[in-house]
Amino acid sequence: MKKTAVLLLIGALSAALLAGCGKKEEPPAEEISLAEVEDLTEEEPAPAHEGEVRSSLTGEWIDEEIAARRPFAVMMGNTKIATPQWGISSADVIYESPVEGSETRLMPIFQDYQSIEKIGSIRSCRLYYIDWALEFDAIYGHYGQAYLAKDMLSEDYVDNLSGLSGALEETMYFRDSSRKAPHNAYTTGDGITEGIRIMEYESQRTGDWESHYKFNEDDENEIQLTDGQDAAVVQPGYLVNKPWFVYNTETGLYERFQNGAEQIDANDNSQVAVKNILLQVCDWSVADEEAGYLSVDTTGGGSGYYITNGKAIPVTWSKDSQTAPTKYFDAGGSEITMNQGKTWVCIIQDTYEDKVTFYASEEEFNAAQ
């Protein structure tokens, strides 16, 4: 019994000696929580807006390949028989200006046009619309032209796609038998791409292209024209289609009406709506008494209004050359900053400027009708 106890004691002492001869004991490892482990193993987040750049037409983030594409502007009919239009709600900027007979004609401008299934109806060119298309470096689509525009369209720097061109009449444009000519000419996104290819126009922007308008940044609050006049409803004062815009406080957009009803895009039956409205007052004259063709001064400068978020402020505008962008300035002479989003530009003949009307509410507008 004693012998066994001695042997056990010797074994215990040997183990203690061996442990003392080894490495010093390491301090216990610091405990890491499960959340900390997940943080360590989580992948680095992708940069914000990777593969995107700001649109020069809306200020919004869009795919950089689409942003590098030259915009497409097209002449669109706006008489009552020509509505509803197709594709108009996909436009980033829409110009509206009077033509002969006090009707208006539209020029929607598209950055991303390739996926649009139908655009139109497409009508003939008027001279002053060319200047507005040029300031966006846009390829300009139209179905023929007033004779006053013929020489300008033949200039090398005016890349235009006419439905009267034999090469394009059957490849880019088509007729819809559900409407009577001349209100039944249309195109598609694929047709525009094919037209640009046939005419061998440069489809991509070259060099550094700056934004046409000055937009607010993402980290800024939306522009609120706190000192502006109330503009819940805006009437540009056009004599025939008698359009108006109503501010929707839920969406922050101005919804478009004309001819007594909503203005609809027949591609998806949506009502056309925009974030910004610019009223641009221009000098004008009658260029041809017999035909009634107008001449609109696109570069002389003038007055106007900027409208967004239910308010309107007076502005002045200038355009340094035929191809330069139109700039808009506040009462202090600074270029205005606009909210990101779509813009509708109404060209107002200076002799009819007094017909522009703003209403503080829909109730006030309805009572005035």
Side-chain angles (χ1 to χ4, degrees):
M1 186 67 149
K2 288 182 178 180
K3 186 176 180 181
T4 303
V6 171
L7 290 173
L8 289 172
L9 179 61
I10 292 171
L13 290 171
S14 299
L17 289 171
L18 288 171
C21 295
K23 294 181 179 178
K24 291 184 179 179
E25 184 177 349
E26 296 289 335
E30 185 179 348
E31 292 187 2
I32 301 177
S33 68
L34 179 60
E36 289 174 315
V37 171
E38 290 175 348
D39 287 341
L40 290 171
T41 57
E42 190 175 318
E43 291 184 5
E44 189 75 21
H49 305 294
E50 185 175 17
E52 295 182 321
V53 297
R54 289 192 183 278
S55 165
S56 64
L57 274 63
T58 67
E60 298 168 319
W61 291 99
I62 62 173
D63 186 275
E64 59 187 357
E65 291 186 6
I66 294 173
R69 191 182 300 154
R70 290 178 66 191
F72 175 70
V74 65
M75 206 70 184
M76 189 175 283
N78 197 42
T79 55
K80 194 169 184 178
I81 197 173
T83 57
Q85 292 103 345
W86 276 262
I88 188 171
S89 65
S90 297
D92 298 299
V93 178
I94 301 168
Y95 271 77
E96 180 175 20
S97 178
V99 293
E100 57 278 5
S102 295
E103 297 277 7
T104 68
R105 200 159 283 191
L106 307 180
M107 187 182 74
I109 304 173
F110 306 87
Q111 186 78 67
D112 185 9
Y113 54 80
Q114 287 188 319
S115 61
I116 305 176
E117 61 185 64
K118 188 176 181 181
I119 299 173
S121 66
I122 298 173
R123 296 301 306 277
S124 57
C125 165
R126 296 297 179 267
L127 180 62
Y128 34 97
Y129 281 91
I130 301 173
D131 288 1
W132 297 320
L134 287 172
E135 64 183 78
F136 290 87
D137 188 34
I139 297 170
Y140 177 52
H142 57 101
Y143 212 103
Q145 64 281 321
Y147 74 90
L148 296 169
K150 190 173 182 179
D151 289 343
M152 182 62 65
L153 290 169
S154 67
E155 296 289 345
D156 290 341
Y157 60 89
V158 181
D159 291 347
N160 68 100
L161 302 167
S162 175
L164 295 184
S165 167
L168 302 177
E169 190 171 9
E170 299 298 330
T171 54
M172 176 178 170
Y173 297 100
F174 66 93
R175 295 281 184 178
D176 185 337
S177 60
S178 65
R179 283 188 179 172
K180 294 182 179 180
H183 309 289
N184 64 347
Y186 300 88
T187 189
T188 66
D190 288 341
I192 296 165
T193 302
E194 180 65 7
I196 294 170
R197 186 194 67 78
I198 290 172
M199 297 303 293
E200 299 182 342
Y201 292 145
E202 178 57 61
S203 63
Q204 302 294 303
R205 285 177 160 168
T206 56
D208 295 329
W209 186 262
E210 297 182 1
S211 177
H212 184 281
Y213 301 113
K214 182 180 177 183
F215 291 106
N216 62 322
E217 298 291 339
D218 284 348
D219 57 355
E220 294 178 355
N221 293 326
E222 281 203 344
I223 304 300
Q224 305 291 341
L225 306 176
T226 53
D227 294 330
Q229 67 185 102
D230 291 334
V233 180
V234 180
Q235 276 186 313
Y238 295 136
L239 301 176
V240 178
N241 59 326
K242 298 181 179 179
W244 72 99
F245 299 85
V246 177
Y247 180 61
N248 184 323
T249 56
E250 293 184 3
T251 64
L253 303 178
Y254 277 93
E255 297 167 342
R256 166 81 175 198
F257 298 78
Q258 65 172 7
N259 297 316
E262 298 176 352
Q263 187 159 3
I264 298 297
D265 185 333
N267 274 336
D268 58 8
N269 292 315
S270 64
Q271 184 175 7
V272 183
V274 296
K275 185 64 182 177
N276 306 298
I277 304 170
L278 287 166
L279 306 184
Q280 181 175 327
V281 180
C282 298
D283 292 338
W284 69 285
S285 61
V286 178
D288 184 322
E289 291 284 353
E290 184 175 350
Y293 293 141
L294 306 183
S295 174
V296 175
D297 186 352
T298 62
T299 58
S303 60
Y305 294 91
Y306 170 52
I307 303 125
T308 193
N309 285 346
K311 295 281 188 176
I313 59 168
V315 297
T316 57
W317 66 271
S318 65
K319 179 174 161 71
D320 294 337
S321 68
Q322 184 186 32
T323 59
T326 303
K327 297 294 182 181
Y328 302 87
F329 305 91
D330 62 21
S334 299
E335 183 178 357
I336 63 170
T337 301
M338 294 169 49
N339 281 315
Q340 296 177 27
K342 299 175 184 292
T343 299
W344 194 299
V345 184
C346 291
I347 303 299
I348 309 297
Q349 295 165 282
D350 59 349
T351 49
Y352 298 112
E353 184 179 1
D354 61 345
K355 295 189 178 299
V356 173
T357 311
F358 302 108
Y359 296 91
S361 67
E362 279 194 80
E363 292 75 18
E364 182 183 332
F365 167 74
N366 292 331
Q369 303 312 301

